[in-house]
Amino acid sequence: MGLIQKNSSLNSKNQQLVQKIENGTVIDHIPQGMSLAIYELLHKRIALDPKKTRTVILTSTESKKYGKKDLIKIENTYPTKSEIDLIAILAPTATIVTIKNWEVVEKYKVEIPDLVPEGVLKCPNQACITYNGHEPVKAKFRVNRVDDTTSLQCWYCGRNLEGAILQYLE
């Protein structure tokens, strides 16, 4: 794996767990166990090609703030605003780090949006005007938050999405 690099991810024995990336995105502070769902989301939305895009998924690593956390590093890939909004719904504690030429150029905590815009998710309600092109309109969803629970409600028919939101991706 090479030499330990300054500011790299180190374990308790000061051994580097994951190499730094030259360009790309790090999604840090993912709640433990959620990294695979986020990877699947990005794989579907960005069409990540595992043969061309080097991706590291680190699960159950130590975190001073959260005890345990997951982390994803994706080379040469930068999620869009709508993709980051979906990450925020799945992992509200996540931090997005943008890397260019080995340097951190941007770092911010995700924010859960109030609305998932048209064309990101589809409504499963067969009676909804957005279902399978009944009308020339795409589904959009209100994001409802109560304490630590987040739910998504169709703007047009009021149906709440149930289960994993990945099944509703457009």
Side-chain angles (χ1 to χ4, degrees):
M1 212 178 261
L3 298 173
I4 296 173
Q5 298 171 357
K6 183 179 174 186
N7 298 325
S8 60
S9 299
L10 304 176
N11 68 9
S12 61
K13 296 179 183 174
N14 287 330
Q15 296 172 320
Q16 184 176 356
L17 296 176
V18 180
Q19 289 179 318
K20 290 175 74 174
I21 58 175
E22 182 176 1
N23 296 296
T25 303
V26 176
I27 307 167
D28 198 0
H29 303 110
I30 300 169
Q32 185 179 10
M34 291 302 299
S35 58
L36 295 178
I38 291 172
Y39 176 77
E40 186 177 343
L41 163 80
L42 294 173
H43 181 72
K44 288 180 178 182
R45 294 284 300 172
I46 301 176
L48 291 175
D49 183 347
K51 294 178 183 175
K52 295 180 182 176
T53 305
R54 187 164 56 167
T55 303
V56 174
I57 300 172
L58 190 61
T59 62
S60 300
T61 190
E62 298 296 324
S63 168
K64 291 177 186 169
K65 189 172 186 178
Y66 300 106
K68 296 279 188 176
K69 68 175 182 178
D70 291 359
L71 176 136
I72 300 173
K73 289 186 176 188
I74 309 166
E75 281 192 327
N76 302 313
T77 301
Y78 304 96
T80 65
K81 167 84 168 96
S82 65
E83 291 152 356
I84 291 169
D85 285 349
L86 290 174
I87 291 169
I89 292 166
L90 290 172
T93 57
T95 301
I96 305 296
V97 183
T98 303
I99 310 289
K100 293 189 178 172
N101 296 316
W102 304 104
E103 299 293 328
V104 172
V105 295
E106 184 177 30
K107 182 176 180 176
Y108 59 94
K109 189 172 173 8
V110 296
E111 294 182 18
I112 297 175
D114 294 325
L115 182 73
V116 176
E118 293 180 354
V120 176
L121 300 172
K122 56 189 172 194
C123 182
N125 182 0
Q126 294 180 6
C128 183
I129 64 169
T130 66
Y131 188 80
N132 282 342
H134 287 296
E135 297 289 333
V137 64
K138 299 262 187 188
K140 60 184 175 181
F141 293 85
R142 287 181 193 89
V143 179
N144 301 314
R145 293 175 292 235
V146 177
D147 298 322
D148 289 336
T149 305
T150 301
S151 65
L152 303 176
Q153 181 182 39
C154 179
W155 183 269
Y156 298 101
C157 71
R159 175 131 181 214
N160 284 318
L161 297 186
E162 297 176 4
I165 66 167
L166 300 176
Q167 65 187 319
Y168 303 110
L169 288 175
E170 274 286 348

